[in-house]
Structure formats: C-alpha cells, structure tokens
Amino acid sequence: MSIFDSLRTGLMELLSHKMRSSLTMMGVIFGVAAVIAMVSIGEGAKQETLEQIREMGTDTIVVKRISIAGELLEKAQKRSPNGLRYSDAESIRAICSDALEIVPVRQVSADVKLRTRPMPVKVVGVGEGYDRVLRLRLQNGRFLSQEDVTLKRAVCVLGSRAKRDLAGFTDPIGQIIHIDKKPFRVVGYLETMLYGESPAFAALRDTNSDVYIPITVSISDYQIYAEQAIPLTQSALSELWRKLNVHASAENSPISEIVVRAPNEEATAPLSDVIHSIIERHHRGINDFAIIIPAELIRKSQQTQQIFNIVMLAIASISLLVGGIGIMNIMLATVSQRTREIAIRRCVGATRSDVVRQFLLEALVITCIGGLIGVGLGVGGARGIALYAGWVTVVSAQAIIISFSVSALVGIVFGLYPAVRAAMVDPSEALRQA
C-alpha cells in the first residue's frame, strides 16, 4: 500500500467515526490554540513596551538622585552633603565631549493652584533641549529656550495632563498660572507621552503631569523636592532647618536628574561608565545616584519576556501532552477493533512495516487536522482579544510553525506504540478468534 493509499484509508477511518475523531482532536486543537494565543499576547506586550521605550530614545542616559539612609547618609553629610548637584552636569559637559546634549533637571516643592484649588502637578526646572533629549512633542507653542534659562524668565510649559487639569479644553498659551503665588506665563504645552505598565517603565518618570520652568528660576526661587524620609529626631530637624536657611551657590544646588544624549545606542554603555566615574569622584565615593540606560531596559525587558514565553509554552504544552495521550488511547482501541482487517492484510502480503506506516499515518492525520484547526482558533482568539480587550497581540509565523510541528510530532510519538502493537498481531490467531 502506498503512502497515498494509507492517507486515504486514514481519512476514511476518521470520517466513519466523526464523533470519536472530533473528541480525539480536542486536546491537540486546544493545545495549539493556547500556544499561539499566549505567545501572541506575550509578543504584543513585548513589542508595545519596546516601542514606547524607543520613542523616548535609546540613546539617552539618565542620572538620578537616590535616597540614602543609615551609615551611608552620615558619610554623605560629611563628604557630599548636596548629593547630585548642578556642577555635576557642568563637569560631565566639560569632560564628555562625545555627549551631544546634557540637561540638568530639578523637581521642586511648589504648589500650583487653579483659583484656590491645588492641582496634582509637578513643577520641574529644566534647561534648554530637554524636549529634544526625551523626544517630547509639542502640541502647541514652544519649549523653553536658552534665553528663558539665562534671563530667568517666568515662563512655563505644560505636560498634557497638567494642561488638561489647569486649562481643560481651552488654549492656555499666553495665560498666567501661579506657582507658589508667583505668576508664570504659559508658552507651550506637550502631547501625551505613553508609559506602559511594564516594570521596565518603573525607573522612568511620567512627564505628563509636569509643569516645566527654567532651571535657573527653580534654583533661585524654590527648594528641591525630596522624597527622602526625615527622622523625627532633634538633630535631624535641626539639620533640616539649617539646610533650609542656607542658600547654596548655583553650582552646589542639588538637582533631581541629569539627562545625557549619546551619539547613538551603542555609545550609551561606555559613556555611562565615564559619567559614573566623574560623579563618583565628585561625591568622594558616595553612591547617592543611579544611572539608567533605556537601551539596557530594553535588553532586560526582552530577557524577562523570553522567560515568560517559555513558562507559557510549558503550560500550553500540557494540553498537547494530554491530547497525545488521548490519541494513543483511541489508536489502541482502534487496533483492537480492526484486528481482523490487520490479519487479512498480513495474509495478502502486507508486511509489518506496512501496518506500522498505516497506523502512524492515521495518527498523523488526526494531529495534523487538529493542528490546523488549532492554528485557526489561536489566530482568531488573538485577534478577538486585541479587538475586545484592546491588548496588542502579534501572531508570529514562528509560533504557528512551532506549534503545528509539535502537534505533528505528538501524532508520531503517541501513535508509534499502537502502530507497533498492530504490526505484532498474529494473522492466524486473529482470524481464528474472529
């Protein structure tokens, strides 16, 4: 019997027992569909995260002030009491000639009120070029210029959420808002920046609620915003009072971040090493800062996603395993029912290898048809999730090929034992019992 004849026999056998064949395929169908749907959801989440990080720029380096406590804080009070400061940005600018732009950032403690109602916005002092480094897009107006910074102009730019809270649907350009009772004229507002819920975004700051003012104004008129907890001891409160009454020079003024733009993504790692050495030397060995590289966040996100995909594939593979066991069970029952047919075929010249091939092909037909149905169900499920849940899903050819190949392999592996058992049937004994 040729392979074509064996396939035709297998199909006829399936069609003659439609209900049994359908139930046998269920495990393979749901296994393949689960693999494709889960991988599609994982790939979609991965792609969305990577695109959002790339939009913010993979050639940037962010140096952030971090909170310290305990013994390290006591050492810092003696060696580097101001932590990250404005002069650190100037030192990086003087040494790192490869850096295209270096922008200091200073979030300050200040209230913004709409009439008498306080608004949940953050006041951030920045230098010229901050919008270019972080790829912030203006919806209307302009961003802060170098002239605004040098002349300490009372002007501001609103993030998208800050604009919505302060001005609603009206155009705020030219309007006056009060920051700690000081009037600032709005010169521009930004488009919404998207930040995902991935852990990769936890290290980045949401800029939509920001109100940007010139950093020179933030240094001269406001205290830096600090999240560090202050112990309720007399010495700690005395130190805080002393700091509030000491007016540091502009160079020693504490800042929140320094954003550096490298020539390209490949240059971020070596440039960050140089920046780390510069600041560590300035702070006399006190590590009160952290360096964040979006390109590294992408690599970590990819590694995490890879592990997530492996776990999901392992879970979905259980369905394929159960489906394979079901196929073996049904094929063993089929061999018992078709003992007379097997004996007659052996008597008219069929070899044991012919019998093995026939039953293996029947198992393969079941799993391949189940795999094709599962592919369609998985692709449709991924599209349905994207349509109704609003999630980004990406159906990859790799997931389809692998899941379908595994389903075919399940047919071969779990159909082999019943096929061998069929080939071992003794024709004379089988005909005598029939």
Side-chain angles (χ1 to χ4, degrees), residues 185-207:
R185 182 168 56 87
V186 179
V187 295
Y189 56 94
L190 304 171
E191 291 183 4
T192 301
M193 292 289 291
L194 298 177
Y195 295 90
E197 297 178 355
S198 166
F201 291 97
L204 301 176
R205 197 166 58 81
D206 186 348
T207 59

Side-chain angles (χ1 to χ4, degrees), residues 67-69 73 226-231:
S67 299
I68 55 176
L73 178 61
E227 294 180 346
Q228 188 167 343
I230 300 171

Side-chain angles (χ1 to χ4, degrees), residues 11-166:
L11 283 171
M12 291 176 62
E13 181 65 20
L14 290 176
L15 292 173
S16 61
H17 301 88
K18 295 184 180 67
M19 179 60 72
R20 188 182 70 182
S21 303
S22 301
L23 294 174
T24 307
M25 291 179 191
M26 284 297 176
V28 177
I29 292 172
F30 289 123
V32 172
V35 169
I36 292 175
M38 287 184 176
V39 171
S40 301
I41 293 171
E43 284 295 317
K46 172 186 168 184
Q47 183 172 311
E48 188 178 26
T49 302
L50 296 183
E51 285 299 321
Q52 288 173 348
I53 292 178
R54 286 195 180 99
E55 277 192 9
M56 288 183 282
T58 55
D59 56 355
T60 57
I61 301 168
V62 180
V63 185
K64 295 188 70 168
R65 163 188 290 269
I66 59 173
S67 299
I68 55 176
E71 188 178 345
L72 183 59
L73 178 61
E74 292 177 6
K75 289 181 180 177
Q77 296 291 352
K78 299 174 183 175
R79 299 182 192 175
S80 177
N82 293 322
L84 196 66
R85 53 189 185 269
Y86 193 79
S87 59
D88 292 328
E90 295 300 319
S91 299
I92 295 171
R93 185 175 287 113
I95 296 173
C96 298
S97 57
D98 291 343
L100 300 181
E101 294 188 272
I102 300 161
V103 183
V105 180
R106 191 171 192 266
Q107 184 178 347
V108 298
S109 296
D111 293 329
V112 180
K113 292 184 178 178
L114 181 63
R115 299 178 184 89
T116 58
R117 185 162 58 96
M119 304 305 297
V121 298
K122 295 172 288 184
V123 180
V124 182
V126 297
E128 188 269 340
Y130 185 70
D131 57 328
R132 292 194 300 272
V133 177
L134 287 194
R135 274 75 169 177
L136 302 178
R137 295 182 294 273
L138 277 168
Q139 187 171 348
N140 199 6
R142 65 173 179 83
F143 202 75
L144 302 175
S145 65
Q146 185 58 47
E147 207 172 29
D148 295 329
V149 177
T150 305
L151 299 178
K152 298 183 181 180
R153 286 174 174 162
V155 293
C156 66
V157 176
L158 307 179
S160 61
R161 198 176 301 131
K163 181 260 177 185
R164 186 191 61 200
D165 292 341
L166 291 168

Side-chain angles (χ1 to χ4, degrees), residues 345-394:
R345 286 197 58 203
R346 290 290 312 279
C347 290
V348 296
T351 63
R352 284 180 173 172
S353 61
D354 291 333
V355 177
V356 169
R357 186 176 62 186
Q358 179 186 344
F359 279 86
L360 265 183
L361 285 174
E362 287 184 15
L364 195 60
V365 166
I366 293 173
T367 53
C368 285
I369 293 176
L372 288 173
I373 297 172
V375 167
L377 197 62
V379 173
R383 298 279 167 82
I385 290 169
L387 185 63
Y388 291 106
W391 295 359
V392 177
T393 58
V394 177

Side-chain angles (χ1 to χ4, degrees), residues 230-242:
I230 300 171
L232 296 176
T233 62
Q234 185 176 359
S235 58
L237 293 174
S238 299
E239 181 64 19
L240 176 63
W241 179 253
R242 187 189 66 78

